[in-house]
Amino acid sequence: MMRPSHRRPLATTALAALLFTGAQARADDIPPLLPLPASMTLVAGHLRIPATLPVTTDNVAPAQSDILLETLHSRSGPTLVAAPASRATGTPATPTLHFRLLPADPSAPAESYDLTVTPTGVTIIAHDQVGLYYGAVTLAQLLSSPTKTIPALRIRDQPRLRWRGMMVDSSRHFQTPDDIRTMIDAMGRLKLNVLHWHLTDDQGWRIEIRRYPELTRIGAWRHAPDSGPNGDGAPYGGFYTQDQIREIVAYAEARNITIVPELDMPGHAQAAIAAYPEIGSGGTPTQVSTVMGIHPYLYNTDDRTFTFIENVLTEVLELFPSRFIHLGGDEAVKEQWRSSPSVQARMRALGVRDEEALQSWFIERLGTWLASHDRRLIGWDEILKGGLPPSASVMSWHGVKGAVAAAEAGHDAVMAPSSSLYFDYLQTNRDEEPAGGRYPIESLATVYQFDPLPPGTTPQVQQHILGVEGALWTEYFTSGASVLHAAFPRASALAEIAWTPRPLQKWDSFLHRLPAEMRRESEHGVPVADGAFAVTLQATPSDTPGRITLTLSNQANTGLIRYTLDGTEPDQTAPLYRVPLQAPAGVTLTAIPFDKAGHPLATPTRRVITPDLADQRTGSSFIACPGGKLSVRVPATPDAIVPATPDAIAPSPYLTIDRNHDCVAIPVTSLYGTKSLAVDLIPMSRFFGTPQDDPSDTRAATGPGSALPPNTLAVRTTDEPDTVIGSAPLPIGPLGKPLHLVVPITAQGAHALILDSPESPGRPYYGFESVTIIR
């Protein structure tokens, strides 16, 4: 896995990315390859893609030939047929494709390939099988050309970084084996090569361990009154059998992807301790957690617990050939260790100074065990706190400092910073965003602008930065489709910053090439998010009576926006948006962004322009209450009957919330002539975490609203937060059933508003869907 990359410097001319001979090529002529190759030279001429393309191979094993042909297959591409070696040289009338695997060459960069296109065919040459596969990946993109032609060119390509990864959390929500294979396929098409698989946590143990069957009989399932995909209390969870894991590992290996398993410890261990209480340090039994967040359950530190862990790891090593094994080490709250007499006695016997140093000892003991089995330990950057164990590598999620510190000390490291590369953060703030996720917004541009090799770091440090990884935590993703939607197209940006030389990474070029890649992934069944291109509507009052001002934009600030006001779908003849529109109430706005060639860049944005639209505030315009923090969009309910649950397969609505406090605020708005507020909200289960999630949140659970009776919605202003300007009782009803309240208010003028209700034990969380000013 991830062999050391023998880095030969690219030719100076390659740093221009594209060289042209013959007629000067336009930007639109450049093939939309992603990631962009390290060097590409365009020459005169082109290859016309035939209906049938003969394929020959030199020194390629039959099994690998099958994978290469599978990689090249597409519904819109040519039919591929094996041909004898004598057909290696084609003609313009009958072009051929030739793969050549050359003998290993220590001077050749690992995973590199040369690809040449002429009018008579294509040749792909590499010194290792991985390079040959990546050449096929690039050619598959070229063969998807809608013009059925490829410009004559030569590509000399190699990866920038060795570790180009994605992490998938299967513990919080379970994905099917087919979901995992779909992710692997998509990663392979982008030359990503590490799937970091998070298999254990407080909310579920997902890997079969035959020596300890209770780990999956008990630890793989959670039970709560509102668990289950329909909120009916049914057990929720699942696990992967060892046979399924072997199949998935082999499937990934065929696509040159290494699966790095993660078993989190010493914290995030509640599911394991629920199955085998004796391995816990808290002294009391527990159950698999039904809520998200940080929990206190830690593995014990006695020899019996280490025997258990080593027996588990023995089976894990049999399933995963990866050199690296991830053992977590993150968010281990030390209260149970501090209060455990046996753990404290262990600390005294070891002579360690504190609980952080004890975690370092814990991790190092397991790192030594892994090293004795020819494996390497990697963990989250918290393992730095007690002193970095000599055997450990670091995955840095608290920014980049952990990776740099580890690299400076001579340890290998991987960049996976939150929130820049955490793909469970929202991609846009559009109300139409069809998924949950965390705040702040981490856009496509945020990912693309990240440099895994921080400027100013020395070559000695950079040689220890193995690479970069995007993380998909799944607290708020209830299906495999939602995981993929959160990953793509941000994974495309990740792929380019991991593969393409930094001087060639240009945002405008990436945006120009990305739509073709999004179409390719969609053809393969990947639910690619188009929010970066989709049209966002902002409605504001107009100076013209009876009209509303409509401002259209998109996050990427690209494309030509065309619109209609009669409900029909815009095409190339529809009006081009240039300046804000003055529209009457009652019309239906439909808007689509197009590229220069007339291809739509996103699905239509459609909105009925109601008389009160300019006075309506929804999740995208909510802000945090003073001292609070908007933290997440969560699925509310599939419909008005099924309760809101952590495990519901929930489409919309998604609600913007402060998960520590039942409060949202609305920016300064004019209240002149206002009589009341119409508030739409939904009572929800509190599955999404506890105040312990965010100790920096200082807003008290009780405050001005505590003087109000329980289950009361209060409205205040930020300039006079102790004064209630309106209130209404919150009806007691079933979870998930939408509520519509009309709250008379007394204030006039321009104010920012606070809407909250007093906290009380056992009450639901009220998620706000919209607030409309009634004048």
Side-chain angles (χ1 to χ4, degrees), residues 654-722:
Y654 280 82
L655 305 179
T656 299
I657 67 170
D658 177 337
R659 63 184 171 188
N660 291 329
H661 304 290
D662 204 342
C663 185
V664 298
I666 295 172
V668 173
T669 190
S670 171
L671 299 180
Y672 290 104
T674 299
K675 299 175 182 178
S676 59
L677 302 179
V679 183
D680 291 297
L681 65 169
I682 298 176
M684 305 170 61
S685 164
R686 290 179 176 271
F687 71 87
F688 40 77
T690 65
Q692 190 177 20
D693 290 338
D694 187 9
S696 66
D697 191 331
T698 58
R699 185 176 184 273
T702 59
S706 59
L708 293 170
N711 297 309
T712 299
L713 173 66
V715 182
R716 305 177 184 78
T717 63
T718 56
D719 42 1
E720 293 187 29
D722 293 332

Side-chain angles (χ1 to χ4, degrees), residues 73-122:
H73 175 74
S74 72
R75 293 193 304 269
S76 58
T79 300
L80 305 167
V81 294
S86 60
R87 289 289 306 276
T89 301
T91 68
T94 58
T96 61
L97 165 59
H98 186 52
F99 287 101
R100 293 181 60 199
L101 182 60
L102 300 181
D105 181 356
S107 67
E111 306 176 275
S112 64
Y113 67 92
D114 282 16
L115 186 156
T116 303
V117 177
T118 71
T120 63
V122 182

Side-chain angles (χ1 to χ4, degrees), residues 739-758:
L739 302 175
H740 180 79
L741 304 181
V742 176
V743 186
I745 63 171
T746 58
Q748 298 290 296
H751 301 278
L753 298 178
I754 300 170
L755 289 84
D756 70 353
S757 58

Side-chain angles (χ1 to χ4, degrees), residues 173-484:
H173 283 98
F174 180 75
Q175 302 89 40
T176 68
D178 282 345
D179 292 332
I180 299 298
R181 281 188 281 267
T182 299
M183 175 65 75
I184 289 168
D185 285 336
M187 290 175 61
R189 289 190 291 270
L190 288 168
K191 304 185 176 78
L192 297 169
N193 69 341
V194 179
L195 175 60
H196 168 188
W197 203 0
H198 188 83
L199 289 166
T200 73
D201 215 298
D202 300 304
Q203 294 78 21
W205 182 283
R206 304 292 178 218
I207 175 173
E208 178 190 19
I209 302 298
R210 290 174 176 168
R211 184 161 183 162
Y212 299 110
E214 300 297 273
L215 285 172
T216 46
R217 190 183 73 83
I218 294 175
W221 306 92
R222 50 186 185 246
H223 304 259
D226 55 5
S227 277
N230 296 313
D232 55 7
Y236 174 85
F239 64 93
Y240 306 98
T241 68
Q242 292 199 2
D243 287 343
Q244 287 175 324
I245 288 174
R246 288 189 182 92
E247 291 170 0
I248 291 170
V249 168
Y251 190 87
E253 283 185 339
R255 289 147 185 82
N256 298 288
I257 293 171
T258 298
I259 298 183
V260 175
E262 180 182 355
L263 280 68
D264 216 339
M265 56 189 71
H268 287 293
Q270 187 170 339
I273 295 169
Y276 291 94
E278 64 272 18
I279 65 173
S281 57
T284 57
T286 185
Q287 63 177 4
V288 178
S289 177
T290 60
V291 297
M292 308 302 162
I294 302 171
H295 302 329
Y297 292 90
L298 300 181
Y299 280 104
N300 212 330
T301 59
D302 57 15
D303 290 337
R304 178 175 60 177
T305 299
F306 279 100
T307 297
F308 169 88
I309 294 172
E310 290 166 6
N311 288 338
V312 168
L313 289 175
T314 296
E315 295 193 33
V316 169
L317 300 191
E318 292 171 354
L319 296 171
F320 296 96
S322 165
R323 182 75 189 281
F324 285 97
I325 303 295
H326 203 303
L327 295 187
D330 62 310
E331 297 177 331
V333 180
K334 304 301 192 298
E335 290 306 315
Q336 287 190 351
W337 279 1
R338 293 189 184 98
S339 59
S340 168
S342 64
V343 171
Q344 292 300 306
R346 182 73 149 177
M347 288 174 58
R348 290 191 294 271
L350 293 170
V352 299
R353 65 183 183 274
D354 58 22
E355 287 76 17
E356 297 296 346
L358 181 64
Q359 175 166 322
S360 181
W361 168 83
F362 185 104
I363 294 295
E364 175 56 19
R365 174 165 172 169
L366 294 172
T368 301
W369 186 90
L370 286 171
S372 71
H373 291 76
D374 198 29
R375 304 298 182 96
R376 293 180 60 186
L377 182 150
I378 189 168
W380 298 107
D381 54 27
E382 282 95 333
I383 65 176
L384 289 163
K385 290 182 180 179
L388 187 62
S391 64
S393 299
V394 170
M395 185 167 283
S396 185
W397 73 279
H398 288 94
V400 302
K401 292 181 180 179
V404 172
E408 288 175 342
H411 294 260
D412 288 339
V414 174
M415 293 288 188
S418 170
S419 55
S420 301
L421 298 184
Y422 269 34
F423 295 167
D424 55 314
Y425 283 78
L426 291 164
Q427 304 184 68
T428 75
N429 200 34
R430 302 172 66 245
D431 287 325
E432 297 86 354
E433 181 78 20
R438 291 195 281 173
Y439 283 92
I441 305 300
E442 295 300 339
S443 67
L444 193 63
T446 305
V447 178
Y448 197 80
Q449 291 160 5
F450 178 76
D451 188 354
L453 301 177
T457 52
T458 66
Q460 291 75 21
V461 167
Q462 292 188 4
Q463 73 178 357
H464 285 290
I465 305 297
L466 298 177
V468 65
E469 182 171 290
L472 281 155
W473 301 104
T474 61
E475 286 96 331
Y476 313 110
F477 300 147
T478 57
S479 67
S482 62
V483 172
L484 291 164

